[in-house]
Amino acid sequence: MQAYIAGFALGFSLILAIGAQNAFVLRQGLRNAHVFAVCLTCALSDAVLIAAGVAGFGALAKAVPGLEGVMRFGGAAFLLWYGARTLWAAWKGGEVLEAGEGKAGLRAALLTCLALTWLNPHVYLDTVVLLGSVSAQYADKLGFGAGAVSASFVFFFGLGYGARVLAPVFRRPGSWRVLDLIVGLTMWAIAGKLIWM
């Protein structure tokens, strides 16, 4: 049980920071667009990565020359593009939260979600490398991994469905512009950190 709690606490603290993936889940929750599918995709992706880290894949990823650079620059390119798209939406404005409006198709939502997850090097650093390394300190590595996976499920579903509390605020176009501006700048900041780290 101690390993489970430690895994949950560390997993939750790592995922708590705002990032590209979390911002996307928040937007989907605010729009009430494919929330369950997006949250499940994020949580299951994390589960696969955490399992790989606990199983020792982090050491392998470090050992493959050039893999870290490819992940870093590929992720930065995607975040720059997505950030530019979001900043353009902030500049353009005019979006409001109304039922049934502004919803992209399920396929587009899931592809964006998968790209924001699997093309983000920070996800690998947090889930595979860091959680994998810390899990080695516990005799009950399975319990540690289960705790970290549980934290992902709790966080993503809490964020996706909890966003509805903010829905009244996002009935005003100005709120969307502010959110898009924050999300776009966050994406660019993360991309900048990836390029110059």
Side-chain angles (χ1 to χ4, degrees):
M1 190 61 164
Q2 181 185 359
Y4 178 90
I5 293 169
F8 187 95
L10 182 57
F12 199 86
S13 66
L14 288 174
I15 204 169
L16 198 56
I18 181 115
Q21 187 185 46
N22 295 353
F24 181 73
V25 173
L26 178 63
R27 280 185 68 85
Q28 293 300 112
L30 286 168
R31 292 176 168 197
N32 195 21
H34 315 296
V35 179
F36 182 82
V38 166
C39 292
L40 185 62
T41 300
C42 289
L44 288 176
S45 294
D46 264 13
V48 169
L49 291 165
I50 291 166
V54 170
F57 186 74
L60 176 64
K62 280 185 172 179
V64 175
L67 179 62
E68 189 266 341
V70 170
M71 288 170 37
R72 221 164 28 97
F73 290 112
F78 177 77
L79 290 173
L80 286 170
W81 170 80
Y82 194 85
R85 191 179 135 206
T86 308
L87 289 170
W88 175 251
W91 174 263
K92 201 169 61 163
E95 186 171 1
V96 292
L97 183 62
E98 292 180 21
E101 288 191 12
K103 291 186 182 182
L106 177 61
R107 183 174 184 271
L110 291 181
L111 287 175
T112 301
C113 179
L114 288 168
L116 288 171
T117 302
W118 292 91
L119 294 178
N120 181 358
H122 281 283
V123 170
Y124 295 94
L125 293 173
D126 288 348
T127 57
V128 178
V129 178
L130 183 58
L131 285 171
S133 301
V134 174
S135 73
Q137 301 173 15
Y138 291 88
D140 183 11
K141 287 173 71 170
L142 185 61
F144 182 90
V149 168
S150 298
S152 288
F153 275 85
V154 168
F155 178 81
F156 284 119
F157 280 93
L159 179 63
Y161 286 103
R164 292 179 183 178
V165 173
L166 299 173
V169 174
F170 286 91
R171 295 200 190 284
R172 296 190 302 267
S175 300
W176 278 105
R177 292 182 90 162
V178 170
L179 178 65
D180 283 337
L181 180 64
I182 291 169
V183 169
L185 292 175
T186 300
M187 305 280 180
W188 279 8
I190 295 168
K193 280 175 59 180
L194 290 175
I195 292 168
W196 288 289
M197 65 188 285

